[in-house]
Coordinates of all heavy atoms in Angstrom, one line a residue:
D1 N -6.7 9.2 4.5 CA -7.7 8.7 3.5 C -7.0 8.4 2.1 O -7.2 7.3 1.5 CB -8.8 9.6 3.1 CG -9.8 9.7 4.3 OD1 -9.8 8.9 5.2 OD2 -10.6 10.8 4.3
L2 N -6.0 9.2 1.7 CA -5.3 8.9 0.6 C -4.3 7.7 0.7 O -4.1 6.9 -0.2 CB -4.3 10.1 0.2 CG -5.2 11.4 -0.3 CD1 -4.1 12.6 -0.5 CD2 -5.8 11.1 -1.6
L3 N -3.8 7.6 2.0 CA -3.0 6.4 2.4 C -3.8 5.2 2.2 O -3.4 4.0 1.8 CB -2.4 6.7 3.6 CG -1.3 5.8 4.2 CD1 -0.1 5.6 3.2 CD2 -0.7 6.2 5.5
I4 N -5.0 5.3 2.8 CA -5.9 4.1 2.8 C -6.3 3.7 1.4 O -6.2 2.4 1.0 CB -7.3 4.4 3.5 CG1 -7.0 4.5 5.0 CG2 -8.3 3.3 3.3 CD1 -8.2 5.2 5.8
K5 N -6.4 4.6 0.6 CA -6.7 4.4 -0.9 C -5.6 3.5 -1.5 O -5.8 2.6 -2.2 CB -6.9 5.6 -1.7 CG -7.3 5.5 -3.1 CD -7.5 6.8 -3.9 CE -7.9 6.5 -5.4 NZ -8.1 7.8 -6.1
D6 N -4.3 4.0 -1.3 CA -3.1 3.2 -1.8 C -3.0 1.8 -1.2 O -2.6 0.9 -1.8 CB -1.9 4.2 -1.5 CG -1.6 5.3 -2.4 OD1 -2.2 5.2 -3.5 OD2 -1.1 6.3 -2.0
L7 N -3.3 1.7 0.2 CA -3.3 0.4 0.7 C -4.4 -0.6 0.1 O -4.2 -1.7 -0.1 CB -3.6 0.5 2.3 CG -2.6 1.2 3.1 CD1 -2.9 1.5 4.5 CD2 -1.2 0.4 3.0
E8 N -5.5 0.0 -0.3 CA -6.5 -0.7 -0.9 C -6.1 -1.2 -2.3 O -6.4 -2.3 -2.8 CB -7.8 0.1 -1.1 CG -8.6 0.3 0.4 CD -9.8 1.2 0.4 OE1 -9.8 1.8 -0.8 OE2 -10.6 1.1 1.2
G9 N -5.3 -0.2 -3.0 CA -4.8 -0.6 -4.2 C -3.7 -1.7 -4.2 O -3.6 -2.7 -5.0
I10 N -3.0 -1.8 -3.0 CA -2.0 -2.9 -2.8 C -2.9 -4.3 -2.6 O -2.5 -5.3 -3.2 CB -1.2 -2.7 -1.6 CG1 -0.2 -1.5 -1.9 CG2 -0.4 -4.0 -1.1 CD1 0.5 -1.1 -0.6
R11 N -3.9 -4.1 -1.8 CA -4.7 -5.3 -1.6 C -5.3 -5.9 -3.0 O -5.4 -7.0 -3.2 CB -5.8 -5.1 -0.6 CG -5.3 -4.7 0.8 CD -6.4 -4.2 1.8 NE -7.3 -5.3 2.0 CZ -8.4 -5.0 2.7 NH1 -8.5 -3.9 3.4 NH2 -9.3 -6.1 3.0
R12 N -5.8 -5.0 -3.6 CA -6.5 -5.4 -5.1 C -5.4 -5.9 -5.9 O -5.7 -7.0 -6.5 CB -7.0 -4.1 -5.6 CG -7.4 -4.2 -7.2 CD -8.0 -2.9 -7.8 NE -8.1 -3.1 -9.2 CZ -9.2 -3.7 -9.8 NH1 -10.1 -4.0 -9.0 NH2 -9.1 -3.7 -11.1
K13 N -4.2 -5.4 -6.0 CA -3.3 -5.9 -7.0 C -2.5 -7.0 -6.4 O -1.7 -7.6 -7.2 CB -2.3 -4.7 -7.3 CG -3.0 -3.7 -8.2 CD -2.3 -2.3 -8.2 CE -3.1 -1.2 -9.0 NZ -2.4 0.1 -9.1
S14 N -2.8 -7.4 -5.2 CA -2.2 -8.7 -4.7 C -3.1 -9.9 -5.0 O -2.6 -11.1 -4.9 CB -1.9 -8.5 -3.1 OG -1.0 -7.5 -2.9
D15 N -4.2 -9.6 -5.5 CA -5.2 -10.6 -6.0 C -4.7 -11.0 -7.4 O -4.5 -10.2 -8.2 CB -6.6 -10.1 -6.0 CG -7.5 -11.1 -6.4 OD1 -7.3 -11.9 -7.3 OD2 -8.7 -11.0 -5.8
Y16 N -4.6 -12.3 -7.6 CA -4.2 -12.7 -8.9 C -5.0 -12.3 -10.2 O -4.3 -12.2 -11.2 CB -4.1 -14.3 -8.9 CG -5.5 -15.0 -9.1 CD1 -5.9 -15.3 -10.4 CD2 -6.2 -15.2 -8.0 CE1 -7.1 -15.8 -10.6 CE2 -7.5 -15.7 -8.2 CZ -8.0 -16.1 -9.5 OH -9.2 -16.6 -9.6
R17 N -6.1 -11.9 -9.9 CA -7.0 -11.5 -11.0 C -6.5 -10.0 -11.4 O -6.9 -9.6 -12.6 CB -8.4 -11.4 -10.5 CG -9.0 -12.7 -10.3 CD -10.4 -12.7 -9.6 NE -10.3 -12.1 -8.4 CZ -11.4 -11.9 -7.5 NH1 -12.6 -12.3 -8.0 NH2 -11.3 -11.4 -6.4
H18 N -5.9 -9.3 -10.6 CA -5.4 -8.0 -10.9 C -3.9 -7.8 -10.8 O -3.4 -6.6 -10.8 CB -6.1 -6.9 -9.9 CG -7.6 -7.2 -9.8 ND1 -8.5 -6.7 -10.9 CD2 -8.4 -7.6 -9.0 CE1 -9.7 -7.0 -10.6 NE2 -9.7 -7.5 -9.5
S19 N -3.2 -8.9 -10.6 CA -1.7 -8.8 -10.4 C -1.0 -8.2 -11.6 O 0.1 -7.7 -11.5 CB -1.2 -10.2 -10.0 OG -1.4 -11.1 -11.1
H20 N -1.6 -8.2 -12.8 CA -0.9 -7.6 -13.9 C -1.0 -6.0 -14.0 O -0.2 -5.4 -14.7 CB -1.8 -8.1 -15.2 CG -3.1 -7.6 -15.4 ND1 -4.2 -8.2 -14.5 CD2 -3.8 -6.6 -16.0 CE1 -5.2 -7.5 -14.9 NE2 -5.0 -6.5 -15.7
E21 N -1.8 -5.5 -13.0 CA -1.9 -4.1 -13.0 C -0.6 -3.5 -12.2 O -0.2 -3.9 -11.3 CB -3.1 -3.6 -12.2 CG -4.5 -4.0 -12.9 CD -5.7 -3.7 -12.1 OE1 -5.5 -2.9 -11.2 OE2 -6.7 -4.1 -12.3
P22 N 0.0 -2.4 -12.9 CA 1.1 -1.9 -12.4 C 0.9 -1.1 -11.1 O -0.4 -0.6 -10.9 CB 1.7 -0.8 -13.3 CG 0.5 -0.6 -14.2 CD -0.4 -1.7 -14.2
W23 N 1.8 -1.0 -10.1 CA 1.6 -0.4 -8.8 C 1.8 1.1 -9.0 O 2.9 1.5 -9.8 CB 2.5 -0.9 -7.8 CG 2.0 -2.2 -7.2 CD1 1.4 -3.2 -7.8 CD2 2.4 -2.7 -5.9 NE1 1.1 -4.3 -6.9 CE2 1.7 -4.0 -5.7 CE3 3.0 -2.1 -4.8 CZ2 1.9 -4.8 -4.5 CZ3 3.0 -2.9 -3.5 CH2 2.4 -4.2 -3.5
S24 N 1.2 2.0 -8.4 CA 1.4 3.4 -8.5 C 2.5 3.7 -7.6 O 3.0 2.9 -6.7 CB 0.2 4.2 -8.0 OG 0.0 4.0 -6.7
E25 N 3.0 5.0 -7.7 CA 4.1 5.4 -6.9 C 3.7 5.4 -5.4 O 4.6 5.0 -4.5 CB 4.6 6.8 -7.3 CG 5.9 7.2 -6.6 CD 6.3 8.6 -7.0 OE1 5.9 9.1 -8.1 OE2 7.2 9.4 -6.2
G26 N 2.5 5.8 -5.1 CA 2.1 5.8 -3.8 C 1.8 4.5 -3.1 O 2.2 4.3 -2.0
E27 N 1.5 3.5 -4.0 CA 1.3 2.2 -3.5 C 2.5 1.5 -3.1 O 2.6 0.6 -2.3 CB 0.6 1.3 -4.6 CG -1.0 1.7 -4.7 CD -1.6 1.1 -6.1 OE1 -0.8 0.6 -7.0 OE2 -2.8 1.3 -6.2
R28 N 3.6 1.9 -3.8 CA 4.9 1.3 -3.6 C 5.4 1.6 -2.1 O 6.2 0.7 -1.6 CB 6.0 1.8 -4.6 CG 5.7 1.3 -6.0 CD 6.9 1.6 -7.0 NE 6.7 1.2 -8.3 CZ 6.2 2.2 -9.3 NH1 6.1 3.4 -8.9 NH2 5.9 1.8 -10.5
T29 N 5.0 2.7 -1.6 CA 5.5 3.1 -0.4 C 4.5 3.1 0.8 O 4.8 3.3 1.9 CB 6.1 4.4 -0.4 OG1 5.2 5.4 -0.9 CG2 7.4 4.4 -1.3
A30 N 3.3 2.9 0.4 CA 2.1 3.1 1.3 C 2.2 2.3 2.5 O 1.8 2.7 3.7 CB 0.7 2.9 0.6
W31 N 2.6 1.0 2.5 CA 2.6 0.1 3.4 C 3.7 0.5 4.5 O 3.4 0.3 5.8 CB 2.9 -1.3 2.9 CG 4.2 -1.6 2.2 CD1 4.5 -1.1 1.0 CD2 5.3 -2.3 2.7 NE1 5.7 -1.4 0.6 CE2 6.3 -2.2 1.7 CE3 5.7 -2.9 3.8 CZ2 7.6 -2.7 1.6 CZ3 6.9 -3.6 3.9 CH2 7.8 -3.4 2.8
K32 N 4.8 1.1 4.1 CA 5.7 1.7 5.1 C 5.3 2.9 5.7 O 5.5 3.1 6.9 CB 7.1 1.9 4.3 CG 7.7 0.5 3.9 CD 9.0 0.9 3.1 CE 9.7 -0.3 2.5 NZ 10.9 0.0 1.8
K33 N 4.6 3.7 4.9 CA 4.1 5.0 5.5 C 3.0 4.7 6.5 O 2.8 5.4 7.5 CB 3.5 5.8 4.3 CG 4.7 6.4 3.5 CD 4.0 7.4 2.5 CE 5.1 8.0 1.7 NZ 4.5 9.0 0.6
A34 N 2.2 3.7 6.3 CA 1.1 3.3 7.2 C 1.7 2.9 8.5 O 1.1 3.3 9.6 CB 0.4 2.1 6.6
V35 N 2.7 2.1 8.5 CA 3.4 1.8 9.8 C 3.9 3.1 10.5 O 3.7 3.2 11.8 CB 4.6 0.8 9.6 CG1 5.4 0.6 10.9 CG2 4.2 -0.5 8.9
A36 N 4.6 3.9 9.9 CA 5.0 5.3 10.5 C 3.8 6.1 10.9 O 3.9 6.7 11.9 CB 5.9 6.0 9.5
A37 N 2.7 6.1 10.1 CA 1.5 6.9 10.6 C 1.0 6.4 11.9 O 0.5 7.1 12.7 CB 0.6 6.8 9.5
I38 N 0.9 5.1 12.1 CA 0.3 4.5 13.3 C 1.4 4.4 14.5 O 1.0 4.8 15.6 CB -0.2 3.1 13.1 CG1 -1.4 3.3 12.1 CG2 -0.7 2.5 14.4 CD1 -2.6 4.1 12.6
N39 N 2.6 4.2 14.2 CA 3.6 3.9 15.3 C 4.7 5.0 15.4 O 5.4 4.9 16.3 CB 4.3 2.5 14.9 CG 3.3 1.4 14.9 OD1 2.9 1.0 15.9 ND2 3.0 0.9 13.7
G40 N 4.7 5.9 14.4 CA 5.9 6.9 14.5 C 7.0 6.3 13.8 O 7.1 5.2 13.3
C41 N 8.1 7.1 13.6 CA 9.3 6.7 13.0 C 10.0 5.6 13.8 O 9.9 5.5 14.9 CB 10.3 7.9 12.8 SG 9.6 9.1 11.6
R42 N 10.8 4.8 13.1 CA 11.6 3.8 13.7 C 12.4 4.4 14.8 O 13.1 5.4 14.6 CB 12.5 3.1 12.6 CG 13.3 1.9 13.1 CD 14.2 1.3 12.0 NE 15.0 0.2 12.4 CZ 16.2 0.5 12.9 NH1 16.8 1.6 12.8 NH2 17.0 -0.6 13.3
G43 N 12.5 3.7 16.0 CA 13.2 4.1 17.0 C 12.7 5.2 18.0 O 13.3 5.6 19.0
I44 N 11.4 5.6 17.6 CA 10.7 6.6 18.3 C 9.7 6.0 19.1 O 8.9 5.3 18.6 CB 10.2 7.7 17.5 CG1 11.2 8.4 16.7 CG2 9.4 8.8 18.3 CD1 12.3 9.0 17.5
K45 N 9.7 6.1 20.5 CA 8.8 5.5 21.3 C 7.6 6.4 21.6 O 7.7 7.5 21.8 CB 9.4 5.0 22.7 CG 10.5 4.0 22.4 CD 10.9 3.5 23.7 CE 11.9 2.3 23.6 NZ 12.5 1.9 24.9

């Protein structure tokens, strides 16, 4: 749920109306963590 919140922050701040808002530390890495959460680490089947 916390990861989803950060992903939603990325979506919001990718909108030109909110693009001036700084990204949080969690938002900077959330998109990569989301890939690992669903698929596992790179190279792991």
